[in-house]
Amino acid sequence: MKKITLLLSILGLVLLTGATAWVGAGAVARAVVSIGVIGFAATVACQLATDLMLGIAWSTACRGIGLRHLLGARIVRDAAATCLPFSALGGIVIGMRATCQREHGGHHAVAWPEAASANVVDITTEVLGQIVFVLLGVVCLIGHQGSDRFVGPVVIGAVLLAFGIAGFIWTQQSGGTAMRRLARFLGRNIATQWQHTMLDGMGTLQERLEDMWSHPGRIAGAAALHLVAWIGSAATIWVAYRFLGAHLSLTNAIAIEGVTCGIMSASFLVPASLGVQEAAYMALGAAFGIDPSLSMGLSLLRRGRDLVIGVPALLIWQIGEMRRMRYRRTLERQQDYADPAMSKSSAS
């Protein structure tokens, strides 16, 4: 898995470099600069609003954890997948770990089975909303010149994704063995101290999942809110394109973002979708008459936006992890000091 991820990262960098050279680095730089501070701030604000909707969607499906805590864990999960050299799977593992941290204002940390089940259900409802969003993007794309080559593959991909998520839902509801195998697979790719945490408590993980899926209304509501968040992501690139000087309608933005999301989902093993994101934006933008340099600039602005939001989130999460380790070490030292004292007291 590590070798595959490294290979895909190299191929992605080659694709990104080739696309930049083909468009022209100067033209891309001018496009990025043209958006200005106000335009970039507007895209960041739109993304933060989308993140809030994502947190609300997660809270709808998982009522046992606070909205503020889930929102923070969600931002960390996305930041790990977009800002660190990890695939989407690595981001999921870090998201689970972030969910395990002590809730804001709470007295106890979230237990591993609850954190894992919450992330699994959130990812599932997000994919359910994504499938509808991708198909909506295809509908908005149909009829535009040069779009025919995207429609067929994306529809096939969406259908396969629907079958895959149906199987994943069945696994969560009645496939405890499969969930244990998934935990062991993820456990082989993380630090040793996290492996024990992940594998411990597997007995209660299935119970947590079954409890969440016993409320179909919450699941449907979460999926619907995720669809709204996906449409919000399309509104974000619509705003960015406007500041870049490309005028297109919101339905065109939904077509570009929807199909791009479908393509990026198929390449989920590529860390941060290097090269894939840029190529998708350039190809789809060209179908609407947008200059490739503007689409390349949009992709780079999106990465800049992810860094502005993700890096502080990861730093805050890492500070929390360090405090957690110090607290654990302090407890261990106190126990070490207390044990000899107890032994001497018993001997006397």
Side-chain angles (χ1 to χ4, degrees), residues 190-211:
I190 59 177
T192 304
Q193 63 268 29
W194 289 13
Q195 292 180 22
H196 299 300
T197 303
M198 178 169 285
L199 295 177
D200 290 343
M202 282 300 299
T204 58
L205 173 61
Q206 191 65 36
E207 296 177 3
R208 297 282 187 181
L209 289 171
E210 291 175 357
D211 178 65

Side-chain angles (χ1 to χ4, degrees), residues 262-335:
I263 294 172
M264 291 171 62
S265 296
S267 59
F268 68 96
L269 287 178
V270 181
S273 297
L274 282 174
V276 178
Q277 175 179 295
E278 286 73 20
Y281 276 133
M282 289 170 62
L284 287 161
F288 293 94
I290 299 175
D291 189 271
S293 64
L294 296 182
S295 295
M296 175 64 78
L298 171 72
S299 181
L300 295 179
L301 287 168
R302 175 173 174 169
R303 295 193 184 280
R305 177 204 69 194
D306 292 340
L307 289 173
V308 167
I309 297 174
V311 170
L314 290 172
L315 289 175
I316 294 172
W317 168 68
Q318 192 61 36
I319 291 171
E321 285 290 319
M322 292 171 63
R323 289 177 177 174
R324 204 172 174 184
M325 292 176 63
R326 290 173 185 170
Y327 179 72
R328 189 182 298 115
R329 290 174 181 173
T330 301
L331 288 180
E332 291 174 353
R333 291 194 192 100
Q334 291 175 351
Q335 291 176 355

Side-chain angles (χ1 to χ4, degrees), residues 39 68 82 91 106 111 122 226 247 290 297 344 348:
R68 184 180 175 187
T82 56
D122 182 54
H226 272 298
H247 298 285
I290 299 175
K344 290 180 180 179
S348 61

Side-chain angles (χ1 to χ4, degrees), residues 13-35:
L13 284 172
V14 171
L15 181 58
L16 175 60
T17 304
T20 304
W22 179 72
V23 174
V28 174
R30 286 191 294 272
V32 172
V33 172
S34 68
I35 196 172

Side-chain angles (χ1 to χ4, degrees), residues 77-78 80-81 87-99 119-120 123 186:
R77 191 175 80 198
D78 289 343
S87 65
L89 293 177
I92 292 171
V93 173
I94 290 181
M96 290 180 182
R97 180 68 177 182
T99 311
N119 276 270
V120 168
I123 292 167
L186 294 174

Side-chain angles (χ1 to χ4, degrees), residues 6-301:
L6 178 60
L7 176 61
L8 292 175
S9 299
I10 294 173
L11 292 175
L13 284 172
V14 171
L15 181 58
L16 175 60
T17 304
T20 304
W22 179 72
V23 174
V28 174
R30 286 191 294 272
V32 172
V33 172
S34 68
I35 196 172
V37 175
I38 296 177
F40 183 70
T43 61
V44 172
C46 289
Q47 183 57 43
L48 289 174
T50 302
D51 289 337
L52 177 59
M53 180 59 65
L54 292 171
I56 295 173
W58 195 353
S59 179
T60 301
C62 307
R63 300 289 178 87
I65 307 176
L67 171 60
R68 184 180 175 187
H69 184 78
L70 291 176
L71 178 59
R74 172 64 201 230
I75 293 176
V76 170
R77 191 175 80 198
D78 289 343
T82 56
C83 302
L84 298 178
F86 299 145
S87 65
L89 293 177
I92 292 171
V93 173
I94 290 181
M96 290 180 182
R97 180 68 177 182
T99 311
C100 285
Q101 283 190 341
R102 190 182 304 277
E103 284 198 74
H104 296 282
H107 300 287
H108 302 286
V110 177
W112 143 246
E114 186 177 2
S117 59
N119 276 270
V120 168
V121 170
D122 182 54
I123 292 167
T124 305
T125 54
E126 181 178 14
V127 173
L128 289 173
Q130 183 186 20
I131 292 171
V132 178
F133 178 63
V134 170
L135 294 176
L136 179 61
V138 170
V139 171
C140 294
L141 184 65
I142 293 175
H144 287 277
Q145 185 177 3
S147 64
D148 294 341
R149 64 181 184 275
F150 297 107
V151 173
V154 172
V155 170
I156 293 173
V159 172
L160 293 176
L161 184 61
F163 279 111
I165 201 65
F168 191 45
I169 292 172
W170 176 85
T171 298
Q172 294 173 50
Q173 294 179 321
S174 58
T177 302
M179 292 303 298
R180 290 186 177 89
R181 290 177 180 174
L182 176 61
R184 293 191 184 96
F185 168 75
L186 294 174
R188 289 196 298 268
N189 296 278
I190 59 177
T192 304
Q193 63 268 29
W194 289 13
Q195 292 180 22
H196 299 300
T197 303
M198 178 169 285
L199 295 177
D200 290 343
M202 282 300 299
T204 58
L205 173 61
Q206 191 65 36
E207 296 177 3
R208 297 282 187 181
L209 289 171
E210 291 175 357
D211 178 65
M212 290 184 184
W213 282 101
S214 65
H215 300 89
R218 297 178 185 176
I219 299 296
L225 289 173
H226 272 298
L227 175 59
V228 174
W230 281 113
I231 296 175
S233 68
T236 301
I237 73 158
W238 176 72
V239 170
Y241 266 132
R242 286 277 176 171
F243 278 101
L244 285 168
H247 298 285
L248 72 166
S249 65
L250 181 58
T251 56
N252 293 344
I254 291 174
I256 293 174
E257 185 69 0
V259 178
T260 298
C261 287
I263 294 172
M264 291 171 62
S265 296
S267 59
F268 68 96
L269 287 178
V270 181
S273 297
L274 282 174
V276 178
Q277 175 179 295
E278 286 73 20
Y281 276 133
M282 289 170 62
L284 287 161
F288 293 94
I290 299 175
D291 189 271
S293 64
L294 296 182
S295 295
M296 175 64 78
L298 171 72
S299 181
L300 295 179
L301 287 168

